[in-house]
Amino acid sequence: MEQQELRAAVRSVLARHPGAAAWRPLSEQIGIAGLAVPEQYGGAGCGAVEVHVVMEELGRQLSPVPLLGSAVLTVQALLASGDGTACARLLPQLTAGRAIGTLAWAEQGSWDPAAIRTTATAGPGGTWRLDGAKEHVLDGSQADVLLVAARTDAGVSLLEVDVNGPGVNREAAVTMDRSRTQSRVVLRHAEGRLVGGNGTGEQVLRRVLDLACTALAAEQVGAAERCLELTVAHARDRRQFGRPIGSFQAVKHRLADAYVLVESARSAALGAALAAADESPELTRYAAVAKSACSEAFSAVAGEMIQLHGGIGITWEHDAHRYFKRAHGSSRLFGPPAWHRARLCACLGLTPT
Protein backbone atom coordinates (compact mmCIF):
# COMPACT_ATOMS: atom_id res chain seq x y z
CA MET A 1 0.00 0.00 0.00
CA GLU A 2 2.83 2.43 0.84
CA GLN A 3 4.43 1.77 -2.54
CA GLN A 4 1.12 2.43 -4.30
CA GLU A 5 0.81 5.72 -2.44
CA LEU A 6 4.38 6.62 -3.38
CA ARG A 7 3.66 5.86 -7.04
CA ALA A 8 0.48 7.96 -6.98
CA ALA A 9 2.26 10.86 -5.30
CA VAL A 10 5.12 10.89 -7.81
CA ARG A 11 2.73 10.65 -10.75
CA SER A 12 0.68 13.52 -9.38
CA VAL A 13 3.72 15.79 -8.96
CA LEU A 14 4.98 14.97 -12.46
CA ALA A 15 1.56 15.83 -13.90
CA ARG A 16 1.60 19.23 -12.20
CA HIS A 17 5.29 20.05 -12.70
CA PRO A 18 6.56 18.91 -16.10
CA GLY A 19 10.22 18.74 -17.00
CA ALA A 20 13.11 19.77 -14.77
CA ALA A 21 10.75 21.86 -12.62
CA ALA A 22 9.62 18.64 -10.95
CA TRP A 23 12.89 18.12 -9.07
CA ARG A 24 12.20 20.60 -6.27
CA PRO A 25 8.65 19.44 -5.41
CA LEU A 26 9.67 15.79 -5.77
CA SER A 27 12.51 16.37 -3.31
CA GLU A 28 10.69 18.64 -0.88
CA GLN A 29 7.23 17.08 -0.87
CA ILE A 30 8.05 13.40 -1.38
CA GLY A 31 11.73 13.19 -0.54
CA ILE A 32 12.77 11.10 -3.53
CA ALA A 33 16.37 12.35 -3.37
CA GLY A 34 16.79 10.67 0.00
CA LEU A 35 14.63 7.57 -0.36
CA ALA A 36 17.55 5.15 -0.04
CA VAL A 37 19.57 7.26 2.40
CA PRO A 38 19.76 6.16 6.07
CA GLU A 39 17.81 8.30 8.50
CA GLN A 40 21.00 9.41 10.27
CA TYR A 41 21.85 11.45 7.17
CA GLY A 42 18.36 12.89 6.78
CA GLY A 43 17.00 10.25 4.43
CA ALA A 44 13.87 8.10 4.50
CA GLY A 45 15.74 4.85 5.12
CA CYS A 46 13.89 3.04 2.35
CA GLY A 47 15.42 0.69 -0.18
CA ALA A 48 15.74 -0.39 -3.78
CA VAL A 49 12.09 -1.32 -4.18
CA GLU A 50 10.96 2.23 -3.42
CA VAL A 51 13.58 3.57 -5.82
CA HIS A 52 12.22 1.09 -8.38
CA VAL A 53 8.72 2.57 -8.03
CA VAL A 54 9.96 6.13 -8.48
CA MET A 55 12.18 5.27 -11.45
CA GLU A 56 9.27 3.56 -13.21
CA GLU A 57 7.22 6.74 -12.92
CA LEU A 58 10.08 8.94 -14.07
CA GLY A 59 10.55 6.63 -17.04
CA ARG A 60 6.91 6.93 -18.04
CA GLN A 61 7.32 10.69 -18.39
CA LEU A 62 10.95 10.68 -19.59
CA SER A 63 11.54 13.06 -16.73
CA PRO A 64 14.88 14.92 -16.87
CA VAL A 65 15.27 15.19 -13.08
CA PRO A 66 18.73 14.14 -11.80
CA LEU A 67 17.62 11.22 -9.63
CA LEU A 68 19.75 8.57 -11.36
CA GLY A 69 23.00 10.51 -11.31
CA SER A 70 22.59 12.17 -7.93
CA ALA A 71 20.41 9.96 -5.70
CA VAL A 72 21.61 6.64 -7.11
CA LEU A 73 25.16 6.94 -8.43
CA THR A 74 26.55 9.61 -6.10
CA VAL A 75 24.66 8.69 -2.95
CA GLN A 76 25.32 4.98 -3.28
CA ALA A 77 29.00 5.59 -4.02
CA LEU A 78 29.29 7.60 -0.80
CA LEU A 79 27.48 4.96 1.22
CA ALA A 80 29.50 2.11 -0.30
CA SER A 81 32.76 3.95 0.43
CA GLY A 82 32.18 3.61 4.16
CA ASP A 83 33.56 7.12 4.67
CA GLY A 84 31.45 8.39 7.56
CA THR A 85 32.96 11.86 7.49
CA ALA A 86 32.24 12.38 3.80
CA CYS A 87 28.73 10.96 4.19
CA ALA A 88 27.95 13.27 7.11
CA ARG A 89 29.20 16.28 5.16
CA LEU A 90 27.67 15.59 1.75
CA LEU A 91 24.60 13.39 2.13
CA PRO A 92 22.30 15.82 3.97
CA GLN A 93 22.41 18.37 1.13
CA LEU A 94 22.07 15.67 -1.52
CA THR A 95 19.21 14.06 0.39
CA ALA A 96 17.31 17.33 0.62
CA GLY A 97 17.74 17.97 -3.09
CA ARG A 98 19.57 21.23 -2.38
CA ALA A 99 22.67 19.89 -4.13
CA ILE A 100 23.06 17.68 -7.20
CA GLY A 101 25.78 15.08 -7.24
CA THR A 102 27.48 13.21 -10.05
CA LEU A 103 29.92 10.34 -10.36
CA ALA A 104 32.56 10.70 -13.09
CA TRP A 105 33.41 7.15 -13.98
CA ALA A 106 33.23 5.99 -17.61
CA GLU A 107 36.18 6.37 -19.95
CA GLN A 108 36.23 5.79 -23.70
CA GLY A 109 32.73 4.37 -23.59
CA SER A 110 33.56 1.71 -20.98
CA TRP A 111 31.96 1.34 -17.56
CA ASP A 112 34.32 -1.44 -16.50
CA PRO A 113 36.28 -0.26 -13.43
CA ALA A 114 39.29 -2.11 -14.78
CA ALA A 115 39.35 0.26 -17.78
CA ILE A 116 39.88 3.42 -15.70
CA ARG A 117 43.01 5.32 -16.76
CA THR A 118 42.51 8.65 -14.99
CA THR A 119 45.33 9.00 -12.47
CA ALA A 120 45.52 10.44 -8.97
CA THR A 121 48.92 11.30 -7.52
CA ALA A 122 49.44 11.97 -3.82
CA GLY A 123 50.29 15.58 -2.94
CA PRO A 124 51.00 17.53 0.25
CA GLY A 125 48.59 17.59 3.16
CA GLY A 126 46.59 14.56 2.10
CA THR A 127 45.59 16.10 -1.23
CA TRP A 128 45.68 14.36 -4.60
CA ARG A 129 46.22 15.61 -8.14
CA LEU A 130 44.00 14.12 -10.85
CA ASP A 131 44.62 13.93 -14.57
CA GLY A 132 42.33 12.36 -17.15
CA ALA A 133 39.00 12.63 -18.97
CA LYS A 134 35.61 11.21 -18.07
CA GLU A 135 32.66 10.67 -20.39
CA HIS A 136 28.90 10.17 -19.95
CA VAL A 137 28.90 12.10 -16.67
CA LEU A 138 25.22 12.43 -15.80
CA ASP A 139 24.17 16.01 -15.03
CA GLY A 140 27.86 16.88 -14.92
CA SER A 141 27.48 20.49 -16.01
CA GLN A 142 25.08 21.44 -13.22
CA ALA A 143 26.43 19.19 -10.46
CA ASP A 144 27.46 20.67 -7.10
CA VAL A 145 29.22 17.52 -5.84
CA LEU A 146 31.70 15.71 -8.08
CA LEU A 147 33.07 12.27 -7.27
CA VAL A 148 35.76 10.91 -9.58
CA ALA A 149 37.03 7.36 -9.96
CA ALA A 150 40.78 7.45 -10.55
CA ARG A 151 43.73 5.10 -10.35
CA THR A 152 46.27 5.60 -7.54
CA ASP A 153 49.34 3.57 -6.68
CA ALA A 154 47.04 1.31 -4.64
CA GLY A 155 44.43 0.80 -7.36
CA VAL A 156 41.12 2.42 -8.33
CA SER A 157 40.01 4.94 -5.72
CA LEU A 158 37.18 7.41 -5.22
CA LEU A 159 37.97 11.09 -4.81
CA GLU A 160 35.94 14.26 -4.30
CA VAL A 161 36.87 17.13 -6.60
CA ASP A 162 35.71 20.75 -6.33
CA VAL A 163 33.50 21.35 -9.39
CA ASN A 164 34.76 24.93 -9.65
CA GLY A 165 38.36 24.21 -8.76
CA PRO A 166 41.35 24.87 -11.02
CA GLY A 167 42.02 22.18 -13.57
CA VAL A 168 38.37 21.07 -13.79
CA ASN A 169 36.67 21.56 -17.15
CA ARG A 170 33.08 20.43 -17.64
CA GLU A 171 31.83 20.28 -21.21
CA ALA A 172 28.17 19.63 -22.02
CA ALA A 173 27.90 16.67 -24.40
CA VAL A 174 25.58 16.61 -27.40
CA THR A 175 23.49 13.46 -27.04
CA MET A 176 20.69 11.92 -29.04
CA ASP A 177 18.47 11.91 -25.94
CA ARG A 178 18.24 15.56 -24.89
CA SER A 179 16.15 14.67 -21.82
CA ARG A 180 19.19 13.09 -20.10
CA THR A 181 22.01 15.59 -19.87
CA GLN A 182 25.56 14.31 -19.95
CA SER A 183 28.95 15.96 -19.82
CA ARG A 184 32.60 15.31 -20.48
CA VAL A 185 34.81 16.18 -17.52
CA VAL A 186 38.48 16.87 -18.20
CA LEU A 187 40.87 17.01 -15.25
CA ARG A 188 44.29 18.60 -15.54
CA HIS A 189 46.18 18.43 -12.27
CA ALA A 190 42.89 19.03 -10.44
CA GLU A 191 42.96 18.78 -6.66
CA GLY A 192 40.91 16.11 -4.93
CA ARG A 193 40.49 14.41 -1.60
CA LEU A 194 40.14 10.72 -0.98
CA VAL A 195 36.69 9.30 -0.20
CA GLY A 196 36.93 5.93 1.51
CA GLY A 197 40.05 3.81 1.47
CA ASN A 198 42.86 4.16 -1.02
CA GLY A 199 42.47 1.39 -3.60
CA THR A 200 38.94 0.39 -2.58
CA GLY A 201 37.24 2.17 -5.47
CA GLU A 202 36.79 -0.85 -7.72
CA GLN A 203 34.72 -2.63 -5.08
CA VAL A 204 32.64 0.53 -4.60
CA LEU A 205 32.06 0.94 -8.33
CA ARG A 206 30.99 -2.67 -8.82
CA ARG A 207 28.41 -2.20 -6.08
CA VAL A 208 27.22 1.09 -7.61
CA LEU A 209 27.07 -0.49 -11.08
CA ASP A 210 24.64 -3.16 -9.86
CA LEU A 211 22.40 -0.59 -8.16
CA ALA A 212 22.55 1.77 -11.14
CA CYS A 213 21.56 -1.00 -13.55
CA THR A 214 18.74 -2.01 -11.22
CA ALA A 215 17.38 1.54 -11.09
CA LEU A 216 17.79 2.12 -14.83
CA ALA A 217 15.98 -1.13 -15.61
CA ALA A 218 12.96 0.16 -13.67
CA GLU A 219 13.04 3.39 -15.65
CA GLN A 220 13.19 1.43 -18.90
CA VAL A 221 10.17 -0.65 -17.87
CA GLY A 222 8.14 2.47 -17.05
CA ALA A 223 9.01 4.04 -20.39
CA ALA A 224 8.30 0.85 -22.34
CA GLU A 225 4.94 0.50 -20.60
CA ARG A 226 4.04 4.06 -21.60
CA CYS A 227 5.08 3.36 -25.20
CA LEU A 228 2.71 0.41 -25.26
CA GLU A 229 -0.15 2.41 -23.73
CA LEU A 230 0.19 5.17 -26.32
CA THR A 231 0.41 2.67 -29.16
CA VAL A 232 -2.65 0.72 -28.02
CA ALA A 233 -4.61 3.97 -27.74
CA HIS A 234 -3.52 4.94 -31.25
CA ALA A 235 -4.51 1.52 -32.62
CA ARG A 236 -7.99 2.02 -31.17
CA ASP A 237 -8.43 5.52 -32.57
CA ARG A 238 -6.73 5.30 -35.94
CA ARG A 239 -9.06 3.97 -38.63
CA GLN A 240 -8.24 2.44 -42.00
CA PHE A 241 -10.64 0.74 -44.41
CA GLY A 242 -13.51 1.72 -42.16
CA ARG A 243 -12.25 0.05 -38.99
CA PRO A 244 -9.66 0.69 -36.19
CA ILE A 245 -6.22 -0.56 -37.16
CA GLY A 246 -6.10 -2.38 -33.84
CA SER A 247 -8.78 -4.74 -35.12
CA PHE A 248 -6.42 -6.20 -37.73
CA GLN A 249 -4.86 -9.47 -36.66
CA ALA A 250 -1.33 -8.48 -37.69
CA VAL A 251 -1.48 -5.39 -35.45
CA LYS A 252 -2.95 -7.41 -32.59
CA HIS A 253 -0.06 -9.86 -32.79
CA ARG A 254 2.53 -7.09 -32.68
CA LEU A 255 0.87 -5.44 -29.72
CA ALA A 256 0.64 -8.79 -27.92
CA ASP A 257 4.34 -9.40 -28.49
CA ALA A 258 5.11 -5.94 -27.14
CA TYR A 259 3.02 -6.66 -24.06
CA VAL A 260 4.96 -9.85 -23.38
CA LEU A 261 8.23 -7.94 -23.69
CA VAL A 262 7.08 -5.27 -21.22
CA GLU A 263 5.85 -7.77 -18.63
CA SER A 264 8.95 -9.95 -18.95
CA ALA A 265 11.13 -6.88 -18.49
CA ARG A 266 9.05 -5.84 -15.48
CA SER A 267 9.73 -9.20 -13.83
CA ALA A 268 13.47 -8.89 -14.47
CA ALA A 269 13.61 -5.34 -13.12
CA LEU A 270 11.59 -6.14 -10.01
CA GLY A 271 13.71 -9.23 -9.38
CA ALA A 272 16.83 -7.08 -9.36
CA ALA A 273 15.19 -4.53 -7.05
CA LEU A 274 14.19 -7.24 -4.58
CA ALA A 275 17.69 -8.72 -4.69
CA ALA A 276 19.15 -5.28 -3.94
CA ALA A 277 16.68 -4.70 -1.11
CA ASP A 278 17.58 -8.06 0.42
CA GLU A 279 21.34 -7.46 0.02
CA SER A 280 21.49 -10.69 -1.98
CA PRO A 281 24.99 -11.96 -2.81
CA GLU A 282 23.60 -12.71 -6.29
CA LEU A 283 22.69 -9.09 -7.02
CA THR A 284 25.22 -8.85 -9.85
CA ARG A 285 23.46 -11.69 -11.67
CA TYR A 286 20.03 -10.13 -11.22
CA ALA A 287 21.26 -6.66 -12.23
CA ALA A 288 23.00 -7.97 -15.36
CA VAL A 289 19.85 -9.83 -16.43
CA ALA A 290 17.66 -6.78 -15.76
CA LYS A 291 19.88 -4.33 -17.65
CA SER A 292 20.16 -6.65 -20.65
CA ALA A 293 16.49 -7.68 -20.81
CA CYS A 294 15.01 -4.25 -20.09
CA SER A 295 17.30 -2.46 -22.55
CA GLU A 296 16.31 -4.76 -25.38
CA ALA A 297 12.62 -4.77 -24.46
CA PHE A 298 12.42 -0.97 -24.33
CA SER A 299 14.24 -0.62 -27.66
CA ALA A 300 11.92 -3.14 -29.31
CA VAL A 301 8.69 -1.62 -27.94
CA ALA A 302 9.82 1.92 -28.81
CA GLY A 303 10.54 0.71 -32.33
CA GLU A 304 7.06 -0.78 -32.61
CA MET A 305 5.64 2.51 -31.38
CA ILE A 306 7.30 4.29 -34.30
CA GLN A 307 6.15 1.66 -36.80
CA LEU A 308 2.53 1.38 -35.69
CA HIS A 309 2.03 5.13 -35.42
CA GLY A 310 2.97 5.50 -39.06
CA GLY A 311 4.01 8.90 -40.39
CA ILE A 312 3.21 10.85 -37.22
CA GLY A 313 5.59 8.59 -35.29
CA ILE A 314 8.61 10.24 -36.90
CA THR A 315 7.52 13.85 -36.42
CA TRP A 316 8.66 16.31 -33.75
CA GLU A 317 5.02 16.87 -32.78
CA HIS A 318 4.63 13.34 -31.37
CA ASP A 319 6.46 11.92 -28.36
CA ALA A 320 7.36 8.66 -30.12
CA HIS A 321 10.78 9.95 -31.19
CA ARG A 322 11.59 10.97 -27.60
CA TYR A 323 10.96 7.45 -26.30
CA PHE A 324 12.90 5.96 -29.19
CA LYS A 325 15.91 8.14 -28.41
CA ARG A 326 15.72 7.41 -24.68
CA ALA A 327 15.53 3.69 -25.44
CA HIS A 328 18.72 3.66 -27.44
CA GLY A 329 20.54 6.03 -25.10
CA SER A 330 19.66 4.06 -21.98
CA SER A 331 20.60 0.82 -23.70
CA ARG A 332 24.22 2.03 -23.88
CA LEU A 333 24.28 3.69 -20.47
CA PHE A 334 26.24 1.64 -17.90
CA GLY A 335 27.23 -0.75 -20.67
CA PRO A 336 25.35 -2.39 -23.58
CA PRO A 337 23.30 -5.59 -23.18
CA ALA A 338 26.06 -7.78 -24.63
CA TRP A 339 28.52 -6.61 -21.98
CA HIS A 340 26.05 -7.42 -19.21
CA ARG A 341 25.42 -10.85 -20.66
CA ALA A 342 29.19 -11.38 -20.50
CA ARG A 343 29.09 -10.30 -16.84
CA LEU A 344 26.31 -12.81 -16.25
CA CYS A 345 28.35 -15.56 -17.91
CA ALA A 346 31.28 -14.71 -15.67
CA CYS A 347 29.05 -14.97 -12.58
CA LEU A 348 27.84 -18.38 -13.75
CA GLY A 349 31.28 -19.61 -14.67
CA LEU A 350 30.41 -19.82 -18.36
CA THR A 351 32.33 -18.69 -21.42
CA PRO A 352 30.35 -16.27 -23.62
CA THR A 353 30.12 -17.16 -27.29
CSV table of all heavy atoms in Angstrom, one decimal, residues 4 7 35 37 64 78 99 120 166 179 203 213 218 240 304 309-310 316 327 343:
chain,number,residue,atom,x,y,z
A,4,GLN,N,2.2,1.9,-3.4
A,4,GLN,CA,1.1,2.4,-4.3
A,4,GLN,C,0.9,3.9,-4.0
A,4,GLN,O,0.7,4.7,-5.0
A,4,GLN,CB,-0.2,1.7,-4.1
A,4,GLN,CG,-0.1,0.2,-4.5
A,4,GLN,CD,-1.4,-0.5,-4.2
A,4,GLN,OE1,-2.3,0.0,-3.6
A,4,GLN,NE2,-1.5,-1.8,-4.6
A,7,ARG,N,3.8,5.8,-5.6
A,7,ARG,CA,3.7,5.9,-7.0
A,7,ARG,C,2.6,6.9,-7.4
A,7,ARG,O,2.9,7.8,-8.3
A,7,ARG,CB,3.2,4.5,-7.6
A,7,ARG,CG,3.1,4.5,-9.1
A,7,ARG,CD,2.6,3.1,-9.6
A,7,ARG,NE,3.4,2.0,-9.2
A,7,ARG,CZ,4.5,1.6,-9.8
A,7,ARG,NH1,4.9,2.3,-10.9
A,7,ARG,NH2,5.2,0.6,-9.4
A,35,LEU,N,15.4,8.8,-0.6
A,35,LEU,CA,14.6,7.6,-0.4
A,35,LEU,C,15.5,6.5,0.2
A,35,LEU,O,15.2,5.8,1.2
A,35,LEU,CB,13.9,7.1,-1.6
A,35,LEU,CG,12.6,7.6,-2.0
A,35,LEU,CD1,12.1,6.9,-3.2
A,35,LEU,CD2,11.6,7.3,-0.8
A,37,VAL,N,18.5,6.7,1.5
A,37,VAL,CA,19.6,7.3,2.4
A,37,VAL,C,19.2,6.9,3.8
A,37,VAL,O,18.0,7.1,4.2
A,37,VAL,CB,19.7,8.8,2.2
A,37,VAL,CG1,20.7,9.3,3.2
A,37,VAL,CG2,20.2,9.1,0.8
A,64,PRO,N,13.5,14.6,-16.9
A,64,PRO,CA,14.9,14.9,-16.9
A,64,PRO,C,15.5,15.2,-15.5
A,64,PRO,O,16.6,15.7,-15.4
A,64,PRO,CB,14.9,16.2,-17.7
A,64,PRO,CG,13.6,16.9,-17.4
A,64,PRO,CD,12.6,15.8,-17.2
A,78,LEU,N,28.9,7.1,-2.1
A,78,LEU,CA,29.3,7.6,-0.8
A,78,LEU,C,29.0,6.6,0.3
A,78,LEU,O,29.9,6.3,1.1
A,78,LEU,CB,28.5,8.9,-0.5
A,78,LEU,CG,29.0,10.2,-1.2
A,78,LEU,CD1,28.0,11.3,-1.0
A,78,LEU,CD2,30.4,10.6,-0.7
A,99,ALA,N,21.5,20.1,-3.3
A,99,ALA,CA,22.7,19.9,-4.1
A,99,ALA,C,22.5,18.7,-5.1
A,99,ALA,O,21.8,17.7,-4.7
A,99,ALA,CB,23.9,19.7,-3.2
A,120,ALA,N,45.5,9.6,-10.1
A,120,ALA,CA,45.5,10.4,-9.0
A,120,ALA,C,46.9,10.2,-8.3
A,120,ALA,O,47.2,9.1,-7.9
A,120,ALA,CB,44.4,10.1,-8.0
A,166,PRO,N,40.5,24.8,-9.9
A,166,PRO,CA,41.3,24.9,-11.0
A,166,PRO,C,41.6,23.5,-11.6
A,166,PRO,O,41.8,22.5,-10.9
A,166,PRO,CB,42.6,25.5,-10.4
A,166,PRO,CG,42.5,25.2,-9.0
A,166,PRO,CD,41.1,25.2,-8.6
A,179,SER,N,16.8,14.6,-23.1
A,179,SER,CA,16.2,14.7,-21.8
A,179,SER,C,17.1,14.1,-20.7
A,179,SER,O,16.7,14.1,-19.6
A,179,SER,CB,14.8,13.9,-21.9
A,179,SER,OG,15.1,12.5,-22.1
A,203,GLN,N,35.8,-2.0,-5.8
A,203,GLN,CA,34.7,-2.6,-5.1
A,203,GLN,C,33.5,-1.7,-5.0
A,203,GLN,O,32.4,-2.2,-5.1
A,203,GLN,CB,35.2,-3.0,-3.7
A,203,GLN,CG,34.2,-3.7,-2.8
A,203,GLN,CD,34.7,-4.1,-1.5
A,203,GLN,OE1,35.9,-3.9,-1.2
A,203,GLN,NE2,33.8,-4.6,-0.6
A,213,CYS,N,22.3,-0.2,-12.5
A,213,CYS,CA,21.6,-1.0,-13.6
A,213,CYS,C,20.2,-1.4,-13.1
A,213,CYS,O,19.2,-1.4,-13.9
A,213,CYS,CB,22.4,-2.3,-13.9
A,213,CYS,SG,23.9,-2.0,-14.8
A,218,ALA,N,14.3,-0.3,-14.1
A,218,ALA,CA,13.0,0.2,-13.7
A,218,ALA,C,12.5,1.3,-14.5
A,218,ALA,O,11.3,1.4,-15.0
A,218,ALA,CB,12.9,0.6,-12.2
A,240,GLN,N,-8.6,2.7,-40.6
A,240,GLN,CA,-8.2,2.4,-42.0
A,240,GLN,C,-9.2,1.4,-42.6
A,240,GLN,O,-9.6,0.5,-41.9
A,240,GLN,CB,-6.8,1.9,-42.1
A,240,GLN,CG,-5.7,2.9,-41.9
A,240,GLN,CD,-5.6,3.9,-43.1
A,240,GLN,OE1,-6.1,3.7,-44.2
A,240,GLN,NE2,-5.0,5.1,-42.8
A,304,GLU,N,8.4,-0.5,-32.2
A,304,GLU,CA,7.1,-0.8,-32.6
A,304,GLU,C,6.2,0.4,-32.5
A,304,GLU,O,5.3,0.6,-33.3
A,304,GLU,CB,6.5,-1.9,-31.7
A,304,GLU,CG,7.1,-3.3,-32.1
A,304,GLU,CD,6.5,-3.8,-33.4
A,304,GLU,OE1,6.1,-3.1,-34.3
A,304,GLU,OE2,6.4,-5.1,-33.5
A,309,HIS,N,2.6,3.8,-35.3
A,309,HIS,CA,2.0,5.1,-35.4
A,309,HIS,C,2.1,5.7,-36.8
A,309,HIS,O,1.5,6.7,-37.2
A,309,HIS,CB,2.8,6.1,-34.5
A,309,HIS,CG,2.2,6.1,-33.1
A,309,HIS,ND1,2.4,5.2,-32.2
A,309,HIS,CD2,1.3,7.0,-32.5
A,309,HIS,CE1,1.8,5.5,-31.0
A,309,HIS,NE2,1.1,6.6,-31.2
A,310,GLY,N,2.9,5.0,-37.7
A,310,GLY,CA,3.0,5.5,-39.1
A,310,GLY,C,3.7,6.8,-39.2
A,310,GLY,O,4.6,7.1,-38.4
A,316,TRP,N,8.3,15.7,-35.0
A,316,TRP,CA,8.7,16.3,-33.8
A,316,TRP,C,7.4,16.5,-32.9
A,316,TRP,O,7.5,16.7,-31.7
A,316,TRP,CB,9.3,17.7,-34.0
A,316,TRP,CG,10.7,17.5,-34.5
A,316,TRP,CD1,11.1,17.7,-35.8
A,316,TRP,CD2,11.9,17.2,-33.8
A,316,TRP,NE1,12.5,17.5,-35.9
A,316,TRP,CE2,13.0,17.2,-34.7
A,316,TRP,CE3,12.1,17.0,-32.4
A,316,TRP,CZ2,14.3,17.0,-34.3
A,316,TRP,CZ3,13.4,16.7,-32.0
A,316,TRP,CH2,14.5,16.7,-32.9
A,327,ALA,N,15.3,5.1,-25.4
A,327,ALA,CA,15.5,3.7,-25.4
A,327,ALA,C,16.9,3.4,-25.9
A,327,ALA,O,17.6,2.5,-25.2
A,327,ALA,CB,14.5,3.0,-26.4
A,343,ARG,N,29.0,-10.3,-18.3
A,343,ARG,CA,29.1,-10.3,-16.8
A,343,ARG,C,28.3,-11.4,-16.2
A,343,ARG,O,28.8,-12.1,-15.3
A,343,ARG,CB,28.5,-9.0,-16.3
A,343,ARG,CG,29.3,-7.7,-16.6
A,343,ARG,CD,28.7,-6.5,-16.1
A,343,ARG,NE,28.7,-6.5,-14.6
A,343,ARG,CZ,27.7,-6.1,-13.8
A,343,ARG,NH1,26.5,-5.8,-14.4
A,343,ARG,NH2,27.8,-6.2,-12.5
